[in-house]
Amino acid sequence: MQSFKAQVMRFDIITLFPEMFDAVTKYGITSRAIDKKLYEVHCWNPRDYTTDVHKTVDDRPYGGGPGMVMLIEPLEKAILSAKAGNAGKVIHLSPVGKPLTHELALSLSKETGLILLASRYEGVDQRLIDAQVDEEISIGDYVLSGGELPAMVLMDAIIRLLPGALGDSDSAIEDSFVDGLLDCPHYTRPETYQEQSVPEVLLSGNHAKIKQWRLKQSLFKTMTKRADLLANRLLTKEESRLLLELDTELALMQEQDSYNEKV
Ligand code: SAM
């Protein structure tokens, strides 16, 4: 039986909507990882740190303009409460942050704890960010209504990388981006669907051939969908050879296509 690190990764989340995090803690791989005590989650609601009867957490922006801005005080108190039990860095999920990638998730998966600030409205008073936030992370070039989904995306990306989180430990190794390539296509039963058969090599039982076919398919997908990934990657001899093979095959296909158009 495999044994995994005893360290439990601790996530403290600053959020107005703690219930949303059930989506991570109650379903699938991330739920099983919590059962295995690979990580734990503590939520801190800024509303619990307000002092007025309306539990106000936002106010109008100085200088005017649309939307509301989150007040410093309730957020600061919530962050300080989280910091009492978590020495990890404070991350604000924000469209202006550093883009989330596999490498970033992998490096964060080595931390023992993280405090995630999921903000709402137009955002957070900049002075709170300057004083309390160590890093800002974006999950993409688009704007969502709040930081909860981005925080959950970040958590899921990290949790599946924690040793012992995945049932079959190999499945993370073969995922897209892990070794700089996109994943190969996958097939399961039935063997034939709408007259399309599963590629023969996958039925051959020849593991070396299957491995090579999968690598070639990964290279093909990466080359045609995300050529930028290949540009940043040192290729092995085998990969260079397979890429040359793919180039030749593609050139032949193009020749055939233009011939078919003419006749
Ligand atoms: N005014 C902000 C801007 O244009 O950059 C957008 C605020 S957005 C409506 C409210 C909150 O959702 C943000 O403060 C952030 O916490 C979260 N959020 C929205 N889009 C995000 C993204 N792409 N990545 C990370 N967090 C995001």
Side-chain angles (χ1 to χ4, degrees):
M1 212 170 104
Q2 275 174 297
S3 67
F4 302 108
K5 68 168 185 177
Q7 185 76 56
V8 181
M9 184 162 187
R10 178 175 168 134
F11 291 97
D12 283 80
I13 326 278
I14 318 298
T15 172
L16 292 171
F17 301 107
E19 303 78 16
M20 285 181 75
F21 288 83
D22 285 357
V24 171
T25 58
K26 299 216 166 129
Y27 300 92
I29 285 169
T30 47
S31 164
R32 288 199 295 277
I34 231 176
D35 294 342
K36 291 184 201 166
K37 305 209 181 326
L38 300 182
Y39 77 100
E40 57 188 37
V41 177
H42 303 266
C43 288
W44 306 89
N45 192 334
R47 279 201 206 285
D48 296 338
Y49 297 89
T50 53
T51 47
D52 65 316
V53 68
H54 301 295
K55 296 186 177 294
T56 310
V57 291
D58 59 323
D59 207 335
R60 282 166 302 166
Y62 278 120
M68 302 293 270
V69 178
M70 290 192 87
L71 290 164
I72 293 178
E73 206 184 335
L75 285 181
E76 184 178 53
K77 286 183 174 162
I79 292 172
L80 293 178
S81 296
K83 278 186 171 174
N86 189 335
K89 44 183 155 187
V90 179
I91 294 175
H92 178 219
L93 285 305
S94 166
V96 308
K98 183 195 291 185
L100 177 59
T101 59
H102 170 71
E103 283 71 31
L104 183 54
L106 185 64
S107 93
L108 292 174
S109 73
K110 311 223 161 93
E111 303 280 333
T112 52
L114 292 173
I115 299 174
L116 306 182
L117 169 57
S119 54
R120 288 256 153 189
Y121 313 111
E122 278 313 308
V124 176
D125 189 303
Q126 186 60 41
R127 292 164 297 176
L128 184 276
I129 297 173
D130 296 341
Q132 298 291 347
V133 170
D134 299 303
E135 204 169 319
E136 291 190 288
I137 294 180
S138 164
I139 63 157
D141 290 350
Y142 44 81
V143 173
L144 301 172
S145 317
E148 284 77 11
L149 289 171
M152 286 189 267
V153 167
L154 177 62
M155 288 170 72
D156 191 311
I158 291 173
I159 293 162
R160 55 185 287 108
L161 296 173
L162 296 176
L166 297 183
D168 175 357
S169 55
D170 281 341
S171 56
I173 299 168
E174 288 170 8
D175 278 342
S176 293
F177 309 114
V178 171
D179 69 352
L181 297 177
L182 298 182
D183 197 6
C184 64
H186 299 280
Y187 298 87
T188 185
R189 272 178 270 269
E191 219 174 287
T192 304
Y193 167 70
Q194 293 190 351
E195 294 176 19
Q196 292 283 313
S197 297
V198 169
E200 234 177 271
V201 64
L202 297 178
L203 308 173
S204 70
N206 184 332
H207 295 294
K209 277 221 162 104
I210 292 172
K211 196 170 168 214
Q212 193 187 58
W213 179 87
R214 286 184 169 149
L215 176 59
K216 191 168 172 182
Q217 293 294 317
S218 274
L219 287 165
F220 178 69
K221 265 206 185 174
T222 314
M223 176 176 133
T224 48
K225 290 175 189 269
R226 289 290 304 273
D228 59 303
L229 293 176
L230 282 181
N232 298 325
R233 191 165 189 282
L234 271 180
L235 297 171
T236 64
K237 265 195 187 158
E238 173 72 341
E239 288 165 358
S240 303
R241 191 186 65 75
L242 289 171
L243 273 174
L244 268 178
E245 239 177 67
L246 280 168
D247 273 341
T248 317
E249 285 166 19
L250 283 174
L252 275 174
M253 275 164 65
Q254 276 163 2
E255 249 175 54
Q256 186 67 50
D257 282 350
S258 62
Y259 171 79
N260 289 344
E261 270 168 29
K262 279 183 205 145
V263 291

